[in-house]
Amino acid sequence: LVTGAAAGLGKATALRLAEVGADIAVLDLAGGPLAQTAQAIRAMGRRVLELPLDLSQRENCAHAVERTVGHFGRLDALCNVAGVMLPGRTTMITDAEWDLTMAVNLEAPFFTIRAALPHLLEAKGAIVNVSSCASFQGQAYFAAYCATKSGLTNMTKALAMEYMHEPIRINAVAPGGMMTGL
């Protein structure tokens, strides 16, 4: 299950997993571009489930996991790639922008992980959260983004410690700037 799979790093992740033989559930808010990702995966001969869902709505996190397991019969990996990055001077960030950033970048990974854990433990699977180098060094005009990515990095560490004796791998990657839409 790859979130944020309509473009950028999420799309690249889904395509690479398909290239090495995985069947993929792809999730994104952008339905049209998501369908293009799904078509590219089908062209590789892999099965794909399209999930055009808004992860800022908590119930969609569990729903995505349920649909993925229902479609494929199992869940082997969860890649939390979806993200929101809304720049602005701190005094100008609206409550809605703050809430959206928190919901997509921090809350959605938590609620998706919580729903996926029983299935991933059964499959001896993996979680990969996409954090950011912004989780280690603040960046002007990105207070909300930096806060969520720091939280995601530390949440990943906490989950890895919590499940260190269980058959699951929980990791994060923290890339720097990339030439993507985000």
Side-chain angles (χ1 to χ4, degrees):
L1 171 57
V2 179
T3 71
L9 185 58
K11 180 176 183 175
T13 300
L15 293 176
R16 180 65 182 131
L17 289 169
E19 285 174 4
V20 297
D23 294 323
I24 311 284
V26 292
L27 188 155
D28 204 292
L29 180 60
L34 183 65
Q36 293 172 354
T37 301
Q39 182 55 39
I41 293 169
R42 282 187 197 96
M44 292 181 214
R46 305 308 315 163
R47 294 187 307 150
V48 64
L49 171 64
E50 292 175 58
L51 298 167
L53 297 170
D54 180 356
L55 287 178
S56 70
Q57 304 300 310
R58 285 183 183 174
E59 63 274 7
N60 286 337
C61 300
H63 183 65
V65 171
E66 291 166 12
R67 290 207 37 214
T68 299
V69 173
H71 185 81
F72 294 113
R74 63 183 291 138
L75 179 61
D76 295 296
L78 170 61
C79 301
N80 286 306
V81 187
V84 171
M85 187 173 174
L86 303 172
R89 195 163 191 80
T90 299
T91 56
M92 303 303 289
I93 298 294
T94 67
D95 290 358
E97 290 170 332
W98 174 268
D99 291 343
L100 178 64
T101 304
M102 292 295 150
V104 174
N105 293 2
L106 185 58
E107 293 178 15
F110 174 82
F111 291 112
T112 307
I113 289 167
R114 186 175 71 180
L117 271 168
H119 306 287
L120 293 170
L121 288 166
E122 181 180 325
K124 299 179 180 163
I127 297 168
V128 178
N129 293 322
V130 175
S131 183
S132 168
C133 66
S135 70
F136 306 108
Q137 181 176 347
Q139 298 177 4
Y141 308 107
F142 290 98
Y145 179 79
C146 291
T148 60
K149 293 304 182 172
S150 293
L152 183 59
T153 297
N154 219 23
M155 180 176 71
T156 303
K157 291 176 183 180
L159 289 166
M161 294 298 294
E162 183 176 340
Y163 288 91
M164 68 189 315
H165 298 294
E166 302 289 334
I168 188 170
R169 295 171 316 283
I170 304 172
N171 294 284
V173 295
M178 293 182 286
M179 298 299 291
T180 66
L182 181 59

